Amino acid sequence: MLKNLTICSNKKVDLDDFSPTDTDKLEKKDIQEKYLELQERFIELQDVFRASKKFSLLIILQGMDCSGKDGTVKKALAGVNPNGFSVQSFKQPTLEESDHDYLWRAHKATPSKGNITVFNRSYYEDVLVTRVHKMIDDSTAIARFKEITEFEKYLVSNGTIILKFFLHISKDFQQKKLLSRLEIPEKHWKFSLADLAERKFWDKYQKYYADVLSNCSTEQAPWYIVPADHRWFRDYIVLQRIVTTLEDLKLKYPATNETITQLMKEISEVDKG
């Protein structure tokens, strides 16, 4: 399934070719046991990942409003050790951020060795929302595609593993989610008039997301299109990709050094005395 969702380099993407409702003919009950195993495995792998300090992991979540970026962090990454884990959201740039290049604030938020960071939205907003609202023109967006690709190449060459997930939902699904925010009192806080305003640009966002997926996928940092109308399937696919990536690293805990071995001997001798 993941192969079908992986966008290869220089592949022209049409989001109409990917169904937001796809579950690979699976039902929720079919993956429940496997999902729990993946969660337990992720906890184990994160511990080794943090101890080894050989790599850092950057997880990028992009998607339309209501695609479930927050939910993916809450559910797919449940049980993660908060030590060595952080979530970074990118809102409207501050005055200081606006005085720098658009990648500056993202670069300083990337994870250090042994750490995992989730970008809930990312520097890709600077070729999406800026383009939709005509803050940049098409030629600037194309130039930024190349800059972003080089930026990610630089991160990868310096030990950062990048996993990029586009959470793909249908327009009907978004409508249901927006209505639920109005109908359920506990969800009123989630509703924003800005969500309705952005919904008017649905077709443009789909087009520009397709451009991002087509132009910013590389062998080292491909995009994964994740069908997200079914939350359980979204979480399963994301978690499966993360676990597989960490397993492929074949990391081990650091070897015990001579100093620690000597200290253990001294403690044993003190206890005997």
Side-chain angles (χ1 to χ4, degrees):
M1 181 66 183
L2 284 173
K3 285 186 177 180
N4 297 331
L5 301 175
T6 306
I7 305 304
C8 302
S9 304
N10 302 316
K11 178 181 178 180
K12 181 65 176 176
V13 173
D14 184 341
L15 285 175
D16 289 338
D17 295 334
F18 298 85
S19 172
T21 63
D22 189 14
T23 62
D24 198 28
K25 298 181 180 180
L26 294 171
E27 295 182 13
K28 187 175 182 179
K29 61 181 177 62
D30 298 327
I31 58 94
Q32 284 181 321
E33 184 175 344
K34 176 64 175 176
Y35 186 75
L36 292 175
E37 292 174 359
L38 286 171
Q39 285 187 314
E40 292 177 4
R41 184 62 177 144
F42 175 55
I43 292 170
E44 295 171 356
L45 290 166
Q46 188 211 0
D47 197 53
V48 182
F49 186 82
R50 183 165 174 261
S52 67
K53 290 186 179 296
K54 288 188 175 181
F55 300 95
S56 56
L57 175 60
L58 175 61
I59 300 170
I60 293 175
L61 301 178
Q62 288 284 161
M64 300 292 290
D65 292 328
C66 302
S67 60
K69 295 175 287 294
D70 290 334
T72 300
V73 175
K74 182 179 179 181
K75 296 178 182 178
L77 303 180
V80 66
N81 187 337
N83 288 320
F85 178 80
S86 64
V87 179
Q88 179 71 43
S89 296
F90 293 94
K91 307 293 185 181
Q92 184 174 343
T94 64
L95 181 60
E96 181 186 20
E97 290 168 346
S98 297
D99 286 340
H100 289 79
D101 64 89
Y102 70 96
L103 289 172
W104 178 77
R105 64 175 180 164
H107 194 180
K108 68 176 185 174
T110 55
S112 56
K113 294 289 191 340
N115 290 320
I116 299 173
T117 295
V118 176
F119 280 4
N120 183 338
R121 299 188 187 274
S122 67
Y123 42 87
Y124 280 102
E125 292 296 297
D126 287 288
V127 288
L128 289 164
V129 64
T130 54
R131 198 176 177 195
V132 167
H133 293 287
K134 299 182 179 180
M135 290 181 270
I136 64 171
D137 56 22
D138 291 348
S139 61
T140 301
I142 292 171
R144 288 186 176 185
F145 292 156
K146 296 178 181 178
E147 292 166 353
I148 287 171
T149 299
E150 289 300 315
F151 172 62
E152 291 179 344
K153 187 183 297 183
Y154 173 77
L155 292 178
V156 170
S157 68
N158 282 275
T160 298
I161 298 161
I162 304 175
L163 295 178
K164 303 184 296 190
F165 300 103
F166 171 62
L167 308 181
H168 187 29
I169 59 170
S170 63
K171 193 174 184 179
D172 287 343
F173 180 85
Q174 187 193 63
Q175 182 186 50
K176 291 176 183 177
K177 284 296 176 181
L178 288 173
L179 288 173
S180 74
R181 291 177 181 179
L182 292 173
E183 294 168 351
I184 303 173
E186 292 79 10
K187 292 186 177 182
H188 285 177
W189 66 274
K190 287 186 175 183
F191 184 80
S192 169
L193 289 175
D195 295 336
L196 289 180
E198 291 302 293
R199 182 172 165 81
K200 295 177 181 178
F201 299 101
W202 176 276
D203 291 339
K204 278 193 174 182
Y205 272 110
Q206 296 297 294
K207 179 180 183 298
Y208 294 152
Y209 259 117
D211 282 351
V212 164
L213 298 169
S214 301
N215 290 280
C216 298
S217 280
T218 62
E219 184 179 350
Q220 296 83 5
W223 272 100
Y224 299 97
I225 298 180
V226 181
D229 272 16
H230 296 283
R231 301 309 208 193
W232 60 268
F233 188 70
R234 172 204 69 194
D235 299 337
Y236 175 64
I237 291 295
V238 170
L239 184 58
Q240 185 182 48
R241 178 69 269 175
I242 293 171
V243 168
T244 299
T245 298
L246 294 178
E247 284 182 331
D248 288 345
L249 296 176
K250 302 187 185 304
L251 296 175
K252 297 181 180 180
Y253 287 104
T256 303
N257 60 41
E258 294 181 3
T259 301
I260 293 177
T261 302
Q262 182 60 35
L263 286 172
M264 291 175 66
K265 288 182 179 180
E266 291 178 7
I267 291 173
S268 297
E269 290 174 0
V270 169
D271 289 345
K272 289 179 182 178

